[in-house]
Short mmCIF file of all heavy atoms in Angstrom, two decimals:
data_model
loop_
_atom_site.label_atom_id
_atom_site.label_comp_id
_atom_site.label_asym_id
_atom_site.label_seq_id
_atom_site.Cartn_x
_atom_site.Cartn_y
_atom_site.Cartn_z
N SER A 2 0.55 2.19 -0.89
CA SER A 2 1.37 3.41 -0.98
C SER A 2 0.98 4.36 0.18
O SER A 2 -0.06 4.37 0.71
CB SER A 2 0.91 4.09 -2.29
OG SER A 2 1.33 5.46 -2.29
N VAL A 3 1.99 5.13 0.60
CA VAL A 3 1.82 6.13 1.66
C VAL A 3 0.70 7.13 1.29
O VAL A 3 0.03 7.67 2.12
CB VAL A 3 3.17 6.85 2.02
CG1 VAL A 3 3.57 7.74 0.93
CG2 VAL A 3 2.99 7.59 3.34
N LEU A 4 0.42 7.30 0.02
CA LEU A 4 -0.57 8.17 -0.45
C LEU A 4 -1.99 7.67 -0.23
O LEU A 4 -2.98 8.41 -0.25
CB LEU A 4 -0.43 8.53 -1.91
CG LEU A 4 0.80 9.37 -2.31
CD1 LEU A 4 0.98 9.44 -3.82
CD2 LEU A 4 0.77 10.71 -1.67
N GLU A 5 -2.12 6.38 -0.01
CA GLU A 5 -3.46 5.76 0.12
C GLU A 5 -4.07 5.91 1.45
O GLU A 5 -5.29 5.76 1.60
CB GLU A 5 -3.40 4.33 -0.26
CG GLU A 5 -3.09 4.11 -1.74
CD GLU A 5 -2.96 2.65 -2.13
OE1 GLU A 5 -3.42 1.78 -1.42
OE2 GLU A 5 -2.38 2.35 -3.23
N ASN A 6 -3.28 6.26 2.51
CA ASN A 6 -3.79 6.38 3.85
C ASN A 6 -3.44 7.85 4.34
O ASN A 6 -2.30 8.18 4.40
CB ASN A 6 -3.19 5.37 4.75
CG ASN A 6 -3.68 5.46 6.16
OD1 ASN A 6 -3.38 6.43 6.87
ND2 ASN A 6 -4.48 4.53 6.60
N TRP A 7 -4.48 8.60 4.68
CA TRP A 7 -4.35 10.00 5.04
C TRP A 7 -3.38 10.19 6.19
O TRP A 7 -2.52 11.01 6.20
CB TRP A 7 -5.67 10.65 5.29
CG TRP A 7 -5.56 12.13 5.71
CD1 TRP A 7 -5.95 12.63 6.88
CD2 TRP A 7 -5.15 13.20 4.81
NE1 TRP A 7 -5.75 14.00 6.84
CE2 TRP A 7 -5.27 14.36 5.60
CE3 TRP A 7 -4.70 13.26 3.53
CZ2 TRP A 7 -4.90 15.62 5.14
CZ3 TRP A 7 -4.40 14.54 3.00
CH2 TRP A 7 -4.44 15.73 3.82
N ASN A 8 -3.54 9.33 7.25
CA ASN A 8 -2.72 9.51 8.47
C ASN A 8 -1.26 9.13 8.12
O ASN A 8 -0.34 9.78 8.64
CB ASN A 8 -3.26 8.70 9.58
CG ASN A 8 -4.52 9.33 10.21
OD1 ASN A 8 -4.65 10.50 10.20
ND2 ASN A 8 -5.42 8.47 10.61
N GLU A 9 -1.05 8.09 7.35
CA GLU A 9 0.31 7.77 6.95
C GLU A 9 0.95 8.80 6.11
O GLU A 9 2.11 9.13 6.28
CB GLU A 9 0.32 6.44 6.19
CG GLU A 9 0.09 5.25 7.05
CD GLU A 9 0.17 3.90 6.31
OE1 GLU A 9 0.81 3.79 5.26
OE2 GLU A 9 -0.49 2.95 6.75
N TRP A 10 0.15 9.42 5.23
CA TRP A 10 0.65 10.58 4.40
C TRP A 10 1.09 11.71 5.31
O TRP A 10 2.15 12.37 5.14
CB TRP A 10 -0.41 10.95 3.44
CG TRP A 10 -0.13 12.13 2.54
CD1 TRP A 10 -0.90 13.23 2.38
CD2 TRP A 10 0.99 12.35 1.63
NE1 TRP A 10 -0.31 14.07 1.49
CE2 TRP A 10 0.86 13.59 1.05
CE3 TRP A 10 2.09 11.58 1.35
CZ2 TRP A 10 1.72 14.06 0.13
CZ3 TRP A 10 3.02 12.08 0.50
CH2 TRP A 10 2.86 13.32 -0.14
N LYS A 11 0.22 12.09 6.29
CA LYS A 11 0.59 13.17 7.19
C LYS A 11 1.88 12.85 8.01
O LYS A 11 2.66 13.68 8.19
CB LYS A 11 -0.55 13.51 8.11
CG LYS A 11 -1.72 14.18 7.45
CD LYS A 11 -2.78 14.74 8.38
CE LYS A 11 -3.23 13.80 9.41
NZ LYS A 11 -4.27 14.34 10.32
N ASP A 12 1.97 11.62 8.45
CA ASP A 12 3.19 11.16 9.14
C ASP A 12 4.44 11.26 8.22
O ASP A 12 5.49 11.77 8.67
CB ASP A 12 3.06 9.81 9.74
CG ASP A 12 2.19 9.63 10.91
OD1 ASP A 12 1.86 10.65 11.52
OD2 ASP A 12 1.72 8.57 11.27
N PHE A 13 4.29 10.86 7.07
CA PHE A 13 5.39 10.91 6.04
C PHE A 13 5.73 12.38 5.86
O PHE A 13 6.97 12.73 5.84
CB PHE A 13 4.90 10.29 4.72
CG PHE A 13 5.87 10.45 3.59
CD1 PHE A 13 7.01 9.64 3.52
CD2 PHE A 13 5.71 11.44 2.59
CE1 PHE A 13 7.90 9.78 2.47
CE2 PHE A 13 6.60 11.60 1.59
CZ PHE A 13 7.68 10.74 1.50
N LEU A 14 4.86 13.24 5.66
CA LEU A 14 5.10 14.68 5.40
C LEU A 14 5.73 15.26 6.71
O LEU A 14 6.66 16.04 6.64
CB LEU A 14 3.83 15.43 5.08
CG LEU A 14 3.28 15.16 3.70
CD1 LEU A 14 2.01 15.97 3.48
CD2 LEU A 14 4.32 15.48 2.57
N GLY A 15 5.23 14.85 7.86
CA GLY A 15 5.80 15.29 9.16
C GLY A 15 7.21 14.96 9.29
O GLY A 15 8.06 15.78 9.72
N ASP A 16 7.57 13.71 8.90
CA ASP A 16 8.95 13.26 9.01
C ASP A 16 9.85 14.09 8.13
O ASP A 16 10.94 14.52 8.47
CB ASP A 16 9.11 11.79 8.62
CG ASP A 16 8.66 10.81 9.65
OD1 ASP A 16 8.49 11.26 10.82
OD2 ASP A 16 8.34 9.62 9.34
#
Side-chain angles (χ1 to χ4, degrees):
S2 165
V3 71
L4 292 173
E5 292 178 20
N6 180 290
W7 180 246
N8 288 327
E9 287 181 27
W10 176 234
K11 289 191 308 182
D12 285 344
F13 173 79
L14 291 177
D16 285 343

